[in-house]
Amino acid sequence: MEKKYFLNAPQQSEGKILDSLFAEMVLDKALHNFRKKQIKNKIDESLRNKNKEEFLRLTEELKNIS
């Protein structure tokens, strides 16, 4: 495999790069799940308040991120 070197970029071993990618994936998933939970809570609130427009907007947003 050809190694690529970038000017002024710190060199990392493949293991560190994989660890960084894995950490980024875990963080992205956690943020995604957090956002979905926030939207679901807001959907519940819109139902309690009988706010149809907000409900429709939030359910569409939830569909788009799922």
Side-chain angles (χ1 to χ4, degrees):
M1 179 174 14
E2 180 183 329
K3 289 187 178 183
K4 295 183 180 181
Y5 298 97
F6 297 99
L7 188 62
N8 297 325
Q11 300 302 315
Q12 295 182 355
S13 69
E14 287 183 19
K16 287 183 181 181
I17 292 171
L18 289 176
D19 288 346
S20 294
L21 289 172
F22 180 71
E24 186 176 342
M25 289 170 57
V26 170
L27 182 58
D28 285 346
K29 182 66 174 169
L31 289 172
H32 180 78
N33 289 343
F34 177 76
R35 183 66 185 137
K36 281 177 66 172
K37 185 173 182 176
Q38 280 185 320
I39 293 170
K40 288 178 181 182
N41 288 338
K42 288 181 179 182
I43 288 172
D44 290 344
E45 184 179 337
S46 71
L47 287 170
R48 282 191 299 276
N49 295 332
K50 298 179 178 153
N51 186 338
K52 182 179 179 179
E53 292 81 19
E54 184 73 356
F55 171 79
L56 293 173
R57 184 186 69 76
L58 291 165
T59 53
E60 190 63 31
E61 186 176 344
L62 184 60
K63 283 192 285 185
N64 289 333
I65 69 165
S66 292

